[in-house]
């Protein structure tokens, strides 16, 4: 490799931020001052290059401490890791939470996505911008969904420094958001995670049963409430036994694709290539989704236990938890839980004294919806741009670092605990024949009690909305998030199962149920969805990169039009949408047209 | 004549291509198989010496049982596969992809694309006069080559050629995201401040003319570029002992650019700055 680092130098603070992560440099080959020994020894090249996956943590380290990533800081980080600066620049500019230009130390991310938009995000943005003018030391950034939909509208303040400080205002008034940005330390404490679970305390809850009941910071409390019994059972069963239970339970992935979990585990476990990796996808960035956040904040040990079981079953000794960058509280809770579990021998060289070695590392995303796509997530962890890879080869064969990898989302993994404690037959008896077990739904929008609901598969959309209490006259329900589809108020009988929603021509997706009353202007909602996909497209393939832009343009053109005046553009949208669905590399482009299409066909949005 | 290396013998796979049974060596792509039987599938980002990035999606074909269309350039053929290259569905996607591309970038110097636009009845104008496109002046920041982002389709070939697949210089990468993504050196600096070693291998692989020789760029601007009047002569580079092949493109007895044969087993089309750009001494007639 033929690297050129230019002559821009890091400041002492930037250097300290990088060194705090990587340790001090050992030779001039990786950024130290030149010594006599360096003239005779060339060290660092290959070894440093193998640490490429520390690029994203390195960018975070600088961005957290300084607030943005300067040329000098980027070059120093590149020298430390032997990464070409052009590539590192490509990575740094990929993520929305990083800036490669100077900006104030405090950034207030104001959510402008669906639930928040319906709850007045536009006024919140305008109000905070007016108050936080130049000179206030804070800038306002419009943000896609922050995963706080049950408390819309939401704002997240991040103040760079050592340590970085964060504050959340939700539901946010202009005053609360400005306070969070100007004094994050004295902003109001966030309500406990259980506040997002309207059913909290109900003894029939399986997945959410511990949220609000246990102290999320206490391992003892977790164990007192049944924690780690599933892992003990896993050790009794052995890896093959665990996979058999999971297969028999009928569990399918809850991230949206609904792939049978047991089959995925089996396929990974049986790969001869080593090592195997386990990746937990905690990058829930689908607008309207916040269930994983609530689980991680309210019951963090359950995810760690479930990951340990998944790693054990599939022969992995290293797990990565890829957490979206917008979840500071979940990060703190999980970091604390990991440290506790390590200290007590529940992670490490000898888990529970069973001779099985397993540990988990948290990797933080930095604002990119596409990184929830499984192969884009691998690229992101590896220190590359979060662009999806072509499949095949599939992750079970060649995943993270090119090795067999099983990737599951948070909710899927947490389901493994009841499968092992109650046994596959009892678990499979919940729900319907083909959609087994309990399911989490994120209800938001025009409802009285927004939050995460747990229901057995098979309940109808109407049952769920009755629990949440529809406010006003219901105009439409968005199922499955921005990549999902709209249904009409007269379709509330749709059973919330994978097969039931498929038969009704829609999708369950990640479990988003967003209700909109008749005060919400539908065309503006569709524009926001189109804008979201245009912003979040990675730009790799033509149908998605250009198609999402053309979709948004057409929706702008017909924003105020209906009937014959809109017919041409709707026909155009259909043609482009069909090619995006057919020819895009990954799910983002393939689903970018779903919601708009359903609004046209099912709701008659432009009639 | 260049030497054609013989590969390891490979097993043959059998599958159907547009209803006809075909046999292809294990490991070949659907596109390889199509070309072997003389079937034309349009491609833009595919390159003969680089691993295809399958980003342009012009070569999509229908594979029985697959939910979406698959890129012929990078999908490996499998036994028993049923591939259809010219269905209404595949043609529709190709048409839209061509429209999307042609509405956002200038394809006037992209070979073959005009023919495909006609064949697939693509109408790039129908997105309206306000359809977003780059509209950027070509970047002329050095004497050797010009970057014209208006023509860039982000096929990643220059990035791969500059990076691990050929040159190992890693001077360029893709920066930004979505429609704003663009090929850039670090901090979007001028080329002269970057790691670029001016090997010109990126120009060699650019399918659209977004990267071009300064000589060609100037002659096109002056209206004197005439490909029909050019002759091509392949010779051996005299600068060092490696023996790279050079193809001299000569117009009016002047060398106007230098390329290199891709089927050469040593260089695969690669050259260094001297071979690619150091030809003025040949025509110094003082």
């Amino acid at each position: 490799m033929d690297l050129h680092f230019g002559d821009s130098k890091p400041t002492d603070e930037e250097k300290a931020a990088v060194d705090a992560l990587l340790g001090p440099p050992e030779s001039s080959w990786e950024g130290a001052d030149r010594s006599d020994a360096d003239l005779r020894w060339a060290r660092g090249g290959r070894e440093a290059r193998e640490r490429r996956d520390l690029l994203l943590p390195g960018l975070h380290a600088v961005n957290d401490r300084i607030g943005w990533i300067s040329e000098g800081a980027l070059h120093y980080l590149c020298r430390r890791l032997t990464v070409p600066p052009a590539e590192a620049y490509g990575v740094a500019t990929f993520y929305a939470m990083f800036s490669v230009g100077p900006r104030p130390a405090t950034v207030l991310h104001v959510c402008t996505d669906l639930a928040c938009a319906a709850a007045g995000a536009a006024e919140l943005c305008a109000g905070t911008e007016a108050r936080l003018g130049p000179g206030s030391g804070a800038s306002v950034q419009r943000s896609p969904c922050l995963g706080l939909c049950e408390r819309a509208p939401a704002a997240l303040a991040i103040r760079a420094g050592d340590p970085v400080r964060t504050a959340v205002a939700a539901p946010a008034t202009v005053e609360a958001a400005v306070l969070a940005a100007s004094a994050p330390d004295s902003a109001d404490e966030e309500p406990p995670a259980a506040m997002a679970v309207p059913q909290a305390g109900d003894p029939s809850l399986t997945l959410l049963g511990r949220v609000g009941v246990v102290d999320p910071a206490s391992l003892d409390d977790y164990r007192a409430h049944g924690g780690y019994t599933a892992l003990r059972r896993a050790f009794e069963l052995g890896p093959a036994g665990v996979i058999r239970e999971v297969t028999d339970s009928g569990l399918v992935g809850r991230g949206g694709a609904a792939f049978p979990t047991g089959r995925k585990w089996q396929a990974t476990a049986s790969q001869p290539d080593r090592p195997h990796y386990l990746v937990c996808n905690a990058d829930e960035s689908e607008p309207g989704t916040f269930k994983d956040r609530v689980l991680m904040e309210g019951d963090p040990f359950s995810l760690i236990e479930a990951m340990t079981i998944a790693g054990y079953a599939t022969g992995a000794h290293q797990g990565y938890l890829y957490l979206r960058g917008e979840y500071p509280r979940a990060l703190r809770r999980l970091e604390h839980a990991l440290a506790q579990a390590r200290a007590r021998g529940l992670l490490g060289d000898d888990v529970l004294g069973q001779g099985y070695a397993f540990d988990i590392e948290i990797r933080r995303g930095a604002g990119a919806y596409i990184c929830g796509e499984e192969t884009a997530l691998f690229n992101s962890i590896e220190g590359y741009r979060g662009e999806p890879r072509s499949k095949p080869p599939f992750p079970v064969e060649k995943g993270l670092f090119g090795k067999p990898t099983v990737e599951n989302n948070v909710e899927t993994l947490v389901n493994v605990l009841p499968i092992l404690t109650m046994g596959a037959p009892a678990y499979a008896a919940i729900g319907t024949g083909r959609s087994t077990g309990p399911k989490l739904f994120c209800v938001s929008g025009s409802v009285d009690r927004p939050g995460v609901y747990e229901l057995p598969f098979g309940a109808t959309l109407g049952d769920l909305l009755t629990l949440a209490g529809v406010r006003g006259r219901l105009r439409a329900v968005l199922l499955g998030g921005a990549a999902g589809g709209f249904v009409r108020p007269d379709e509330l009988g749709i059973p919330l199962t994978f097969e039931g929603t498929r038969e009704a021509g829609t999708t369950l997706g990640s479990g988003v149920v967003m209700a909109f009353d008749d005060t919400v202007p539908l065309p503006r909602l569709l524009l926001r969805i189109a804008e979201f996909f245009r912003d979040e497209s990675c730009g790799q393939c033509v149908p998605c990169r250009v198609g999402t832009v053309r979709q948004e343009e057409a929706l702008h053109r017909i924003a105020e039009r209906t009937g014959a005046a809109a017919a041409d553009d709707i026909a155009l949208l259909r043609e482009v949408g069909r090619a995006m669905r057919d020819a895009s590399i990954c799910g983002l482009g393939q689903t970018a047209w779903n919601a708009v299409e359903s609004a046209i066909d099912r709701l008659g949005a432009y009639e | 004549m260049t030497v054609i290396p013989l590969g390891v013998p490979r097993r043959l796979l059998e599958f159907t291509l547009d209803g006809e049974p075909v046999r292809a060596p294990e490991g070949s792509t659907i596109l390889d198989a199509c070309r072997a039987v003389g079937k034309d599938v349009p491609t833009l980002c595919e390159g003969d010496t680089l691993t295809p990035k399958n980003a342009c999606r012009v070569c999509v074909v229908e594979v029985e049982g697959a939910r979406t269309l698959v890129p012929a350039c990078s999908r490996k053929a499998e036994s028993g596969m049923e591939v259809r290259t010219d269905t209404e569905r595949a043609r529709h996607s190709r048409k839209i992809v061509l429209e999307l591309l042609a509405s956002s970038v200038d394809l006037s110097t992209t070979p073959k694309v005009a023919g495909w636009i006609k064949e697939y009845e693509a109408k790039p104008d129908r997105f309206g006069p306000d359809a977003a496109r780059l509209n950027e002046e070509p970047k002329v920041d050095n004497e050797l080559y010009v970057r014209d982002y208006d023509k860039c389709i982000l096929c990643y070939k220059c990035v791969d050629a500059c990076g691990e697949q050929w040159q190992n210089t890693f001077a360029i990468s893709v920066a930004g995201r979505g429609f704003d993504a663009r090929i850039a050196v670090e901090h979007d600096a001028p080329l002269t401040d970057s790691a670029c070693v001016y090997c010109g291998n990126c120009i060699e692989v650019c399918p659209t003319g977004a990267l071009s020789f300064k000589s060609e760029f100037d002659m096109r601007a002056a209206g004197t570029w005439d490909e029909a009047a050019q002759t091509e002569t392949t010779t051996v580079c005299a600068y060092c002992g490696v023996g790279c092949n050079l193809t001299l493109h000569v117009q009016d007895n002047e060398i106007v650019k230098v390329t290199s044969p891709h089927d050469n087993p040593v260089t695969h089309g690669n050259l260094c700055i001297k071979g690619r750009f150091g030809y003025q001494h040949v025509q110094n007639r003082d």
Side-chain angles (χ1 to χ4, degrees):
Chain A
M1 222 186 311
D2 177 12
L3 298 182
H4 164 100
F5 293 108
D7 46 13
S8 44
K9 296 274 181 289
T11 63
D12 288 346
E13 211 183 351
E14 288 166 344
K15 198 162 175 290
V18 174
D19 290 349
L21 176 78
L22 301 175
E26 285 182 1
S27 71
S28 71
W29 299 98
E30 55 157 334
D33 291 333
R34 189 174 287 280
S35 71
D36 285 351
D38 293 332
L39 297 173
R40 294 186 291 278
W41 293 91
R43 276 175 306 222
R46 173 183 286 274
E47 268 170 49
R49 205 139 59 234
E50 281 170 357
R51 297 193 297 169
R52 165 88 186 228
D53 66 296
L54 292 174
L55 180 60
L56 185 56
L59 293 171
H60 266 301
V62 176
N63 201 70
D64 278 354
R65 178 88 67 110
I66 316 295
W68 67 286
I69 299 160
S70 72
E71 271 190 49
L74 189 77
H75 283 176
Y76 181 66
L77 182 59
C78 286
R79 201 181 272 276
R80 293 298 316 273
L81 297 171
T82 326
V83 172
E87 284 197 1
Y89 179 75
V91 173
T93 53
F94 188 83
Y95 297 100
M97 294 175 81
F98 294 148
S99 169
V100 293
R103 64 174 176 187
T106 306
V107 178
L108 182 73
H109 298 265
V110 180
C111 179
T112 54
D113 234 313
L114 306 173
C116 290
E123 294 75 26
L124 181 61
C125 274
T128 49
E129 261 169 354
R131 293 270 299 273
L132 293 169
S136 69
S139 67
V140 176
Q141 192 174 323
R142 284 165 173 74
S143 166
C145 185
L146 291 171
L148 295 162
C149 319
E150 87 279 12
R151 288 183 271 147
L156 165 68
I158 301 179
R159 172 169 291 180
D162 184 24
V164 63
R165 270 150 300 169
T166 60
V168 165
T173 56
V174 172
E175 283 69 32
V178 168
L179 176 67
S182 49
D185 292 332
S186 53
D188 292 341
E189 178 105 1
E190 276 190 77
M195 293 298 284
V197 181
Q199 299 159 300
D202 180 342
S204 68
L205 295 179
T206 307
L207 303 174
L208 297 172
R210 275 186 290 255
V211 177
V213 175
V214 296
D215 173 2
S218 165
L219 180 53
D220 288 324
D221 204 18
Y222 177 67
R223 296 179 77 152
H225 286 88
Y228 281 101
T229 50
L231 181 61
R232 283 177 201 285
R233 172 110 175 95
F235 283 128
E236 281 165 33
L237 291 167
V242 175
I243 293 178
R244 199 177 323 115
E245 287 287 302
V246 172
T247 308
D248 290 349
S249 74
L251 175 66
V252 301
R254 305 290 199 239
F259 189 83
T261 307
R263 249 168 68 198
K264 196 190 257 188
W265 287 19
Q266 177 59 46
T268 311
S270 61
Q271 293 289 326
D273 195 10
R274 301 276 153 178
H276 291 182
Y277 289 108
L278 168 75
V279 174
C280 170
N281 186 344
D283 189 69
E284 66 170 353
S285 311
E286 182 68 44
T289 319
F290 47 96
K291 60 194 167 78
D292 292 350
R293 174 179 61 79
V294 170
L295 276 172
M296 291 185 288
E297 288 180 351
D299 192 11
F301 288 102
S302 69
L303 177 59
I304 292 169
E305 183 185 358
M307 283 181 72
T308 312
I309 295 169
Y312 175 66
T314 55
H317 296 287
Q318 176 68 43
Y320 286 93
L321 202 170
Y322 189 90
L323 180 68
R324 69 179 303 211
E326 292 88 340
Y327 282 178
R329 183 161 75 165
L331 175 69
R332 287 196 296 273
R333 296 256 160 99
L334 285 164
E335 276 175 340
H336 176 79
L338 282 178
Q340 294 258 301
R342 267 186 215 117
R344 301 275 285 276
L346 294 164
L347 285 175
D349 294 337
D350 186 14
V351 175
L352 268 177
Q354 298 283 328
Y356 167 62
F358 185 72
D359 212 330
I360 296 170
E361 199 178 313
I362 299 178
R363 287 302 171 92
R364 208 162 23 127
Y369 170 71
I370 184 61
C371 289
E373 200 279 339
E374 56 180 354
T375 58
L377 193 158
F378 299 150
N379 278 334
S380 180
I381 292 181
E382 290 178 23
Y384 294 91
R385 291 163 56 78
E387 292 171 350
R389 305 173 182 171
S390 316
K391 294 188 274 190
F394 290 94
V396 293
E397 200 187 322
K398 284 192 191 316
L400 186 63
F401 302 114
K403 298 295 178 185
T405 302
V406 67
E407 181 177 333
N408 290 127
N409 96 321
V410 174
E411 186 190 346
T412 313
L413 284 165
V414 168
N415 268 282
V416 172
L417 304 177
I419 290 171
L420 291 185
T421 49
M422 67 171 72
Y427 178 92
I430 306 171
T432 65
R434 280 188 293 161
S435 298
T436 60
K439 174 80 191 97
L440 300 182
F441 296 97
C442 309
V443 187
S444 59
S446 319
V447 291
D448 291 327
R449 293 171 295 280
V452 187
Y453 286 83
E454 177 183 323
L455 288 175
F457 272 114
T460 65
L461 183 55
D463 296 339
L464 178 61
L465 286 174
T466 309
L467 273 179
V470 175
R471 215 168 46 204
R473 280 183 39 208
L474 191 64
R475 165 81 168 95
V477 179
L478 180 63
L479 264 187
F486 286 96
V487 296
R488 291 187 306 272
D490 63 350
E491 296 180 296
L492 299 186
I494 294 178
L496 295 173
T497 57
F498 294 112
E499 62 278 11
T501 46
R502 201 177 312 129
E503 270 164 38
T506 179
T507 173
L508 211 51
S510 56
V512 171
V513 174
M514 210 180 266
F516 297 101
D517 61 27
D518 55 6
T519 62
V520 178
L522 209 49
R524 202 190 294 166
L525 207 61
L526 298 182
L527 259 177
R528 173 59 211 164
I529 291 174
E531 188 187 298
F532 174 80
F533 282 106
R534 186 255 295 149
D535 272 348
E536 298 296 336
S537 168
C538 78
Q540 193 181 197
C541 70
V542 175
C544 179
R545 179 177 76 232
V546 190
T548 52
V549 174
R550 298 290 176 255
Q551 172 172 278
E552 192 192 352
E553 288 167 352
L555 288 174
H556 267 292
R557 285 197 293 269
I558 56 175
E560 306 297 331
R561 283 190 270 145
T562 51
D568 278 1
D569 274 317
I570 287 175
L572 192 67
L573 278 167
R574 282 188 202 282
E575 284 199 40
V576 174
R578 189 176 160 214
M580 282 163 72
R581 185 174 289 159
D582 267 350
S584 298
I585 292 180
C586 79
L588 189 148
Q590 288 160 12
T591 59
W593 153 244
N594 284 1
V596 181
E597 183 184 38
S598 66
I600 293 170
D601 289 344
R602 292 177 100 105
L603 304 180
Y606 298 100
E607 276 165 18
Chain B
M1 201 186 87
T2 52
V3 180
I4 307 294
L6 290 174
V8 185
R10 287 185 291 176
R11 272 194 311 151
L12 290 179
L13 302 166
E14 280 187 43
F15 66 102
T16 56
L17 194 57
D18 291 328
E20 301 285 324
V22 290
R23 284 150 70 87
E26 199 171 27
S28 33
T29 62
I30 293 173
L31 184 66
D32 294 334
C34 288
R35 287 183 175 163
V37 298
K39 218 177 260 297
D40 183 39
V41 174
T43 64
L44 276 172
C45 71
E46 184 262 349
D48 50 0
T49 59
L50 295 166
T51 306
K53 189 77 181 166
N54 68 71
C56 78
R57 317 304 277 187
V58 183
C59 70
V60 286
V61 295
E62 213 170 325
V63 171
E64 186 75 31
R67 189 171 44 87
T68 57
L69 300 174
V70 305
C73 68
S74 55
R75 184 62 175 267
K76 298 266 189 292
E78 293 163 33
S79 286
M81 215 178 211
E82 277 182 48
V83 181
R84 276 181 291 276
T85 62
D86 206 33
T87 58
E88 189 275 330
R89 198 172 157 211
R91 290 183 70 91
H92 173 80
S93 277
R94 284 183 208 154
K95 174 183 112 164
I96 296 294
V97 164
L98 289 166
E99 285 181 348
L100 293 174
L101 269 181
S103 66
S104 54
V105 291
D106 168 13
L107 296 175
S108 62
T109 48
T110 307
K112 291 191 181 169
V113 83
W116 294 328
I117 284 181
K118 210 166 156 195
E119 181 189 342
Y120 291 99
E121 294 171 7
K123 295 182 194 68
D125 298 339
R126 62 195 185 119
F127 298 113
D130 300 329
R133 52 187 303 138
L134 209 56
N135 285 333
E136 199 178 310
E137 287 298 307
K139 270 188 169 6
V140 190
D141 55 14
N142 67 87
E143 280 305 306
L144 300 181
Y145 72 95
V146 177
R147 297 177 285 166
D148 188 350
Y149 282 96
D150 258 7
K151 292 181 175 173
C152 177
I153 60 167
L154 278 168
C155 70
Y156 290 64
K157 281 168 86 174
C158 57
V159 175
D160 289 343
C162 186
E164 60 178 12
Q165 292 193 34
W166 270 8
Q167 184 62 25
N168 263 285
T169 290
F170 297 93
I172 48 176
S173 168
V174 180
R177 193 165 80 189
F179 197 74
D180 300 327
R182 58 193 258 132
I183 309 291
V185 308
E186 63 269 29
H187 314 293
D188 217 357
L191 215 53
T192 43
D193 291 348
S194 77
C196 178
V197 297
Y198 303 97
C199 62
N201 291 334
C202 53
I203 314 175
E204 182 79 45
V205 296
C206 179
T208 62
L211 295 167
S212 66
F213 289 82
K214 180 83 168 18
S215 51
E216 176 177 345
F217 178 80
D218 288 344
M219 287 173 76
R220 280 188 190 275
T224 55
W225 182 260
D226 183 4
E227 220 149 278
Q230 292 170 7
T231 57
E232 293 179 18
T233 309
T234 298
T235 178
V236 177
C237 180
Y239 274 109
C240 76
V242 171
C244 301
N245 283 188
L246 304 180
T247 300
L248 309 177
H249 298 246
V250 177
Q251 182 180 331
D252 298 332
N253 211 28
E254 294 274 330
I255 300 171
V256 290
K257 70 174 179 182
V258 176
T259 59
S260 180
H262 288 201
D263 61 354
N264 185 298
V266 178
T267 59
H268 299 289
N270 281 272
L271 291 174
C272 72
I273 179 170
K274 290 188 280 186
R276 178 92 58 195
F277 296 107
Y279 54 77
Q280 278 307 330
H281 70 288
V282 177
Q283 44 212 31
N284 192 342
R285 298 190 173 87
D286 292 340

